[in-house]
Amino acid sequence: MRRNTGIAWAFGVFWPRAAHPFAPAAWTVRTVPELVHRIEYLLDSDSRTRILLHAQSMGSVIAVAALWQIPPELRPCIGLLTTGSPIGTVFARHYPGYVTAESLDALVHNEDNGEDGGGTPDRTRLLRTWVSIHRETDLLAGPTGVGGVDQEWKDGVAPMDPDTGRSHARTRAQPVFWPLERHNGYRRDPRIAAVRRAILDTLAEPAPPPSTPPATPAPRRPTPSPAP
């Protein structure tokens, strides 16, 4: 009961003070602006700075809200890693007026110069990469719905054993069943190290060059009609 109350409290505190008059200051008016200021300060102080932003659970909602507000030209210096994120299963489902599929997709995909425009997507205004991890047993988290972002981890198996079907069995080395982590333990899971390393390697690569917008043909002058 105490845990469930804490979860409901955490979701409510994200919204403005009118939704929770007896709680501390809302995350949207304090935590999000502080994170925006911190990111902008780090990236403005040195052009070589790169940021790996790892956000867990409700922290992923705070991180995404902050990334919506920073200047788009700073996003290529940021790699986002979210674990156990409720932004798709809770916020996009229950608050569609505030969290839309298009707003999430706009952080990593740009259709302005894509197939419809005839050019290549402009990567200079997008996050360098975004990886979102959830477990199938996690009732508070799920896929974001953004293409190329989501990864699902199996639960109750040996984290580093690729044969996940055999991992459910008890062995001499593992005499008890592997515990179900559900919404816990993402940061201490051994699989997270490889994910972080892949994001850091991506951030170490040269920044994408600005794309050239497709050339727009000059409008043709109308042919004067012959005089009667």
Side-chain angles (χ1 to χ4, degrees), residues 139-177:
L139 299 180
L140 297 178
T144 63
V146 180
V149 165
D150 297 306
Q151 294 184 15
E152 182 178 281
W153 282 356
K154 298 295 182 181
D155 200 3
V157 299
M160 303 306 293
D161 188 351
D163 187 2
T164 56
R166 184 167 53 84
S167 298
H168 286 284
R170 291 184 291 183
T171 64
R172 184 180 297 274
Q174 180 67 30
V176 297
F177 291 110

Side-chain angles (χ1 to χ4, degrees), residues 63-75:
V64 169
L67 294 173
W68 279 333
Q69 299 181 37
I70 68 170
E73 58 270 17
L74 297 180
R75 290 175 184 165

Side-chain angles (χ1 to χ4, degrees), residues 59-191:
S60 64
V61 184
I62 295 173
V64 169
L67 294 173
W68 279 333
Q69 299 181 37
I70 68 170
E73 58 270 17
L74 297 180
R75 290 175 184 165
C77 300
I78 302 171
L80 177 61
L81 171 59
T82 54
T83 49
S85 174
I87 197 166
T89 56
V90 177
F91 282 81
R93 178 182 298 176
H94 298 287
Y95 311 106
Y98 297 91
V99 180
T100 65
E102 293 77 12
S103 61
L104 295 175
D105 195 73
L107 290 173
V108 289
H109 298 141
N110 189 340
E111 302 297 336
D112 292 344
N113 293 326
E115 296 180 357
D116 295 338
T120 57
D122 185 4
R123 301 292 308 174
T124 61
R125 300 172 66 85
L126 306 176
L127 293 176
R128 182 64 65 90
T129 184
W130 179 9
V131 178
S132 184
I133 300 172
H134 67 280
R135 295 192 183 95
E136 57 183 347
T137 56
D138 191 342
L139 299 180
L140 297 178
T144 63
V146 180
V149 165
D150 297 306
Q151 294 184 15
E152 182 178 281
W153 282 356
K154 298 295 182 181
D155 200 3
V157 299
M160 303 306 293
D161 188 351
D163 187 2
T164 56
R166 184 167 53 84
S167 298
H168 286 284
R170 291 184 291 183
T171 64
R172 184 180 297 274
Q174 180 67 30
V176 297
F177 291 110
W178 286 94
L180 294 177
E181 293 284 0
R182 296 186 175 90
H183 193 63
N184 304 315
Y186 283 98
R187 293 177 181 270
R188 66 172 177 263
D189 194 299
R191 291 172 285 187

